[in-house]
Amino acid sequence: MSNVNDINSIIEKYFSLEQVKSVKQLQNRLIVTILSSENNEKKESLKEEIKKIFPDLRVSVVFVLEKKEETTQSDKWQIKGVKHIIAVSSGKGGVGKSTTSVNLALALANLNLKVALFDADIYGPSIPTMLGYAKVPPTSLDGKTFEPFMECGIKSMSIGSMIKDDTALIWRGAKACGAIEQLLTDTNWGDIDIMVIDMPPGTGDIQITMSQKIDFSGAVVVSTPQDIALIDAVKGINLFNKIGVPVMGVVENMSYYICEKCGHRADIFGHEGAKNTASKYGVDFLGEIPLHYDIRLNSDNGTPIVISKPDSPHTKAYEEIAKQISLKLNLNR
């Protein structure tokens, strides 16, 4: 490891000792976690100074807030009939969070559980496409509440079924959260063992509000092995830790590629990055999902791989992750 005293002395030029939550090095990656609101000027100056002395280090500075806002049970959004709710989250977009959410929900249903999937990715809803009900509007029997879609053996709901594909929702956090709350709480879910919520990517106002207002049983963080994705995954872990949502573990998506012709394995985005990060931050590593054409194609066609190819190794990978989650929630049947 690089000289700890030298690194700490540099950090103290910009932040007090009370503000430094942790300084962790994972091989050639240094992650400095600061208890403060975001300060880009200090962050860039700190990174630049450390890299002058330790040019081989990849430095990231993560800001978190120490104070946890308390939310009483009466302030929580009331989602009737649902026993457990888990968040599937990512610190950034483009890591396959929605694909993971869909296939994980279907894998949980394969364990004889009653499963619901809610699409909270309000600016980029893709669940209707992946489950095959795109452009089909929801129904309401009483004019007040929605009936969930029932596709592939699970119930689901998404704002994507109410808007055109090319419509951009220009909503600020409060309005977006209001729409998510209404759609989530005004749907007749019925008796559900576990609901999977496909969270919006990132760690902003919407994610914070949802984490405070929903009684989550836990969260699953999705990342690729790539360093840039792992930096944001750490932010997601820190967000849930600060708000008090248990992090059930990390899933490494697009983990590797196996050539179908020669069988050669290629670690396109890196090797075991998510696994090492999970270990470093004391959370479970739930498993790795390969980068494969079938997973992408079946998602685009509305036939997720867990349904379309139940005997494939990719399906088995999702099912192993589902088993771990069901064990953590004592949902084994």
Side-chain angles (χ1 to χ4, degrees):
M1 183 172 179
S2 305
N3 190 300
V4 175
N5 291 331
D6 288 346
I7 291 176
N8 286 339
S9 64
I10 296 172
I11 295 172
E12 289 172 25
K13 293 180 182 179
Y14 300 93
F15 302 99
S16 66
L17 288 175
E18 291 77 14
Q19 289 179 295
V20 181
K21 177 176 174 59
S22 65
V23 180
K24 298 183 179 181
Q25 186 173 342
L26 182 62
Q27 296 178 341
N28 68 332
R29 256 191 327 116
L30 181 73
I31 302 173
V32 181
T33 304
I34 302 297
L35 297 174
S36 170
S37 56
E38 194 89 15
N39 188 319
N40 287 324
E41 184 177 349
K42 285 187 176 181
K43 177 175 72 173
E44 294 304 320
S45 298
L46 173 59
K47 289 169 63 176
E48 184 177 347
E49 187 165 348
I50 292 176
K51 293 180 79 170
K52 283 181 180 178
I53 301 176
F54 304 102
D56 294 333
L57 281 181
R58 296 183 180 181
V59 183
S60 63
V61 180
V62 179
F63 293 93
V64 297
L65 294 177
E66 175 74 302
K67 186 177 180 180
K68 180 174 75 176
E69 295 183 22
E70 297 294 334
T71 303
T72 64
Q73 192 63 35
S74 61
D75 291 332
K76 298 279 189 178
W77 295 347
Q78 301 303 308
I79 308 167
K80 298 178 181 179
V82 180
K83 297 182 180 68
H84 292 282
I85 306 172
I86 63 170
V88 176
S89 173
S90 65
K92 68 188 299 292
V95 299
K97 168 185 57 63
S98 295
T99 300
T100 302
S101 297
V102 169
N103 284 293
L104 177 58
L106 295 171
L108 287 164
N110 285 348
L111 298 176
N112 296 319
L113 298 173
K114 297 176 181 177
V115 179
L117 174 63
F118 182 76
D119 188 357
D121 194 350
I122 197 164
Y123 299 118
S126 53
I127 299 302
T129 298
M130 293 185 182
L131 285 181
Y133 62 86
K135 301 180 181 179
V136 179
T139 61
S140 176
L141 301 180
D142 58 6
K144 298 178 181 178
T145 55
F146 294 110
E147 297 300 315
F149 292 92
M150 187 71 181
E151 300 290 341
C152 303
I154 62 174
K155 295 180 179 181
S156 70
M157 181 56 71
S158 169
I159 199 170
S161 64
M162 305 179 190
I163 59 175
K164 295 180 180 179
D165 292 341
D166 59 354
T167 299
L169 293 181
I170 309 174
W171 291 353
R172 296 189 184 275
K175 187 171 182 179
C177 286
I180 292 170
E181 178 186 7
Q182 183 176 3
L183 195 59
L184 185 57
T185 58
D186 287 353
T187 296
N188 296 319
W189 296 107
D191 183 22
I192 296 295
D193 294 314
I194 182 168
M195 172 182 283
V196 176
I197 294 187
D198 180 20
M199 297 283 284
T203 53
D205 288 344
I206 297 176
Q207 293 83 355
I208 292 171
T209 298
M210 291 182 65
S211 299
Q212 292 172 331
K213 293 291 188 178
I214 296 173
D215 193 14
F216 282 116
S217 297
V220 173
V221 177
V222 180
S223 179
T224 66
Q226 191 176 8
D227 283 351
I228 192 69
L230 292 168
I231 291 169
D232 292 320
V234 169
K235 294 179 182 179
I237 293 172
N238 285 331
L239 167 67
F240 290 120
N241 285 339
K242 287 300 175 183
I243 294 177
V245 176
V247 178
M248 307 180 82
V250 176
V251 173
E252 185 173 272
N253 197 36
M254 307 181 202
S255 182
Y256 56 88
Y257 172 74
I258 300 293
C259 178
E260 295 183 359
K261 292 184 178 180
C262 68
H264 173 72
R265 170 172 170 152
D267 296 313
I268 296 174
F269 297 111
H271 181 62
E272 294 189 340
K275 183 176 183 179
N276 293 333
T277 298
S279 175
K280 193 74 175 180
Y281 282 86
V283 299
D284 289 341
F285 180 66
L286 297 175
E288 54 186 19
I289 307 297
L291 177 66
H292 196 277
Y293 177 79
D294 283 348
I295 297 176
R296 194 277 301 169
L297 180 64
N298 283 282
S299 294
D300 289 348
N301 290 341
T303 55
I305 194 142
V306 170
I307 292 295
S308 60
K309 297 192 175 183
D311 297 323
S312 70
H314 320 310
T315 294
K316 300 304 178 187
Y318 286 115
E319 289 180 339
E320 285 302 316
I321 295 170
K323 288 176 183 176
Q324 294 182 65
I325 291 173
S326 67
L327 278 171
K328 291 174 182 290
L329 298 177
N330 296 316
L331 287 173
N332 286 349
R333 289 187 173 181

